[in-house]
Structures are given as structure tokens and as C-alpha cells.
Amino acid sequence: MQFASQWLDLSEPHVMGVVNVTPDSFSDGGSLFPSQSLCLDAAMSRARDMVAEGASFLDIGGESTRPGAEPVSAQQELDRVIPVIEAIKASLDVVVSIDTSTPQVMLEAAAAGAGLINDVRALGRAGALSAAASTALPVCLMHMQGDPKTMQDNPVYESVVHDIGDYFKQRVSECEHAGIAAQKILLDPGFGFGKSLAHNLQLLNQLQSLANQGLPLLVGMSRKSMIGNVLNRPVDERLHGGLAVAIMAYERGAHIIRVHDVGPTVDALRMAHAVMSSI
Ligand code: 8Y4
């Protein structure tokens, strides 16, 4: 699959490293950056490490989807992510994924060299479908039930796997109408986004049925509460659980795994790939 200037062979597993440039990001333990430039240095240091550890993608997000997070203006989002994208493109060989739901950010990130649009709202905001289409970049459509503020209150599905499969069929058709070819679409069931623990576990166990739609699958479970709740571990002790679910997702047809811990995940997936490619 072509991601702007880079081609990636999706018959092998790929790791997407998370680079948060929100002041409240989980992975930085809630530390506050005193200035924009310190934030850029910290993000670049993380980015370099992740590429050295084998990340194919870096996911750059400037808006938090935590329940209760402050809404961010488009300008604020641009101020956070564009310098990071430019710095990564200037020095690292990696596909930049722009984690945004904001049409203007999609356009400016694409101009700055991003290779993938990763939208947790699946291009649902006004103007997002046409903005994404005009970039001609691949897009990842993530499923979310409800909105970040209230999505975990009481999520209900008839059948979580079938409901999400139906949602994907409908959304892919809406994208095609807007001029985004199906060959440019990746799907993501959105672990933790409007799902109970039981929903998340069932989704992972039956991920193969979503892979059967024929579009590449991206999944993100790294450090999420589905691991914390099963293992009763805080967020900084979820790596081993995260490796287990990364391998299970790959075995069930996932192509790209979004994680905070790139090195360990790359090793685990390389091992699994060696076994699964043997005859
Ligand atoms: C600890 C650390 C606990 C992080 C929770 C979290 C996904 C995504 C997010 C995903 C795609 C997160 C932007 C939530 N999750 N994009 N983004 N798929 N495609 N929470 O699963 O990492 S943010």
C-alpha cells in the first residue's frame, strides 16, 4: 500500500508508534510541557527512538480523546502537530500518520508530508470526507460508539462484531461516494471507544470476521483499560498483556498494530511472523 512517498508491504506486520503532542497524554504520565519547543524536542526524541526500534508509522495526535479532555481549536491542533510532522519528515524514514478529526489539520498535515489520515471519528466531522478525499492519502476509519465524553457510560450492541462490520460497510460506501477509493481505506474496530471489557474481548477474539471484509486492519490496544481490567495492572505495567493481544490480533488478520512500546512489539511480531510464514 502506498502512503504518500512510501510503499509498505502489508503482507508483513507493521508497528505504529504513538507520539502524543497533547499536554495531558497518558504515555508521558501527565507531565506538562512548559513550552512548545520543549514539546517538540521531547516528541522528536521519542520519534527517533521508535524508528530505531522498527516502527513503520508514527501516529501524531494533537487532540486528546480522553473523557473530560478540554476541546482543542483547529489552530491549537495545527500548532502542536505541524512542527512535529515537518521535523520527522526532515530527518526520519517513516510514514507519518496524522491522528485528527479536523479537516484543516488533514489538509495541512498532508501538505507537510503525512502519509496516512487516522481519524477516530471515521471522517464524521463536517468537511472531513471531502478534505480527506482531496489529500488523496489513505485513511484509517475507526469505529467509536458515542462521543469521547460519554462513550464508556453504558455501551450497548446487538452483536459488537456484526454491528461494527455493518458500520464499516456503510462507512466505506460513504467514503467511495466522496471520492475515496476503497483501496485507500484501512479499518479499525476502535478498542476502548464505546465498548465494555466484554465487547473488547469478543472483538479481539473474532477479529478475523472483520479482516474478512478485505481491507487492511489497524488495531490499538496498547496500555488500554481492557488490559488493565483483566490483569488488574496500572497503565505502566501493561506491556506483557499488550504483547499478548498484539500477537493475537496479528494471528487474526491485523496488519498494523498501534503501540506505545515499539521495540518489544516489533520483536514479538517478527517472531510470530516467522512462525506463521513457515511451511
Ligand atoms: C493508556 C494509553 C490508556 C492510551 C489508554 C490510551 C486508537 C487510536 C487512540 C485506536 C486508532 C489511547 C488515536 C486512545 N486509540 N487510533 N487513537 N486506533 N486508529 N488510549 O485504537 O491510546 S487514542
Side-chain angles (χ1 to χ4, degrees):
M1 193 171 205
Q2 194 70 39
F3 298 91
S5 59
Q6 273 153 294
W7 193 85
L8 291 179
D9 173 8
L10 294 186
S11 69
E12 289 172 14
H14 291 275
V15 169
M16 172 182 284
V18 179
V19 181
N20 274 313
V21 288
T22 55
D24 66 342
S25 59
F26 292 89
S27 46
D28 296 301
S31 68
L32 287 162
F33 292 107
S35 77
Q36 206 71 28
S37 68
L38 232 182
C39 179
L40 179 60
D41 288 350
M44 281 308 293
S45 164
R46 272 174 68 71
R48 266 190 300 275
D49 289 349
M50 287 178 166
V51 172
E53 289 169 359
S56 302
F57 298 85
L58 295 178
D59 193 37
I60 314 300
E63 185 215 11
S64 175
T65 50
R66 291 171 90 164
E70 290 295 314
V72 182
S73 72
Q75 191 55 54
Q76 224 174 333
E77 222 188 309
L78 287 167
D79 292 344
R80 288 174 180 178
V81 301
I82 299 299
V84 180
I85 297 172
E86 286 174 344
I88 290 171
K89 288 313 295 177
S91 59
L92 297 171
D93 181 27
V94 70
V95 177
V96 170
S97 161
I98 175 67
D99 158 21
T100 191
S101 302
T102 310
Q104 194 190 344
V105 176
M106 295 174 188
L107 296 171
E108 297 198 25
L116 171 67
I117 294 169
N118 174 31
D119 186 0
V120 299
R121 295 174 183 84
L123 307 179
R125 276 194 183 155
L129 276 170
S130 64
S134 77
T135 68
L137 291 178
V139 298
C140 177
L141 304 177
M142 199 197 78
H143 174 272
M144 165 162 48
Q145 186 182 82
D147 56 89
K149 217 181 185 75
T150 57
M151 64 190 180
Q152 291 305 106
D153 288 356
N154 179 33
V156 175
Y157 295 86
E158 201 172 293
S159 151
V160 69
V161 180
H162 290 116
D163 290 6
I164 291 174
D166 291 347
Y167 169 79
F168 283 152
K169 288 197 180 87
Q170 187 190 315
R171 206 63 196 132
V172 168
S173 137
E174 285 157 356
C175 283
E176 289 183 292
H177 258 275
I180 302 168
Q183 300 95 281
K184 292 200 169 177
I185 298 175
L186 301 95
L187 302 175
D188 184 331
F191 287 97
F193 286 84
K195 282 120 192 149
S196 68
L197 174 60
H199 293 141
N200 288 316
L201 298 176
Q202 194 183 345
L203 257 181
L204 175 56
N205 199 25
Q206 293 174 229
L207 194 67
Q208 189 74 64
S209 80
L210 297 176
N212 287 344
Q213 294 208 8
L215 299 181
L217 284 187
L218 191 159
V219 298
M221 294 177 277
S222 176
R223 300 186 185 176
K224 284 184 181 175
S225 64
M226 64 181 285
I227 301 169
N229 290 340
V230 169
L231 302 181
N232 193 25
R233 300 265 187 206
V235 72
D236 60 336
E237 294 176 13
R238 296 177 185 172
L239 171 60
H240 302 129
L243 294 175
V245 295
I247 297 308
M248 294 187 72
Y250 173 56
E251 280 196 277
R252 287 160 174 74
H255 302 79
I256 303 167
I257 317 288
R258 180 185 182 275
V259 299
H260 301 80
D261 306 284
V262 170
T265 308
V266 166
D267 266 11
L269 287 169
R270 279 196 186 140
M271 195 65 232
H273 180 65
V275 173
M276 287 169 63
S277 311
S278 78
I279 49 161

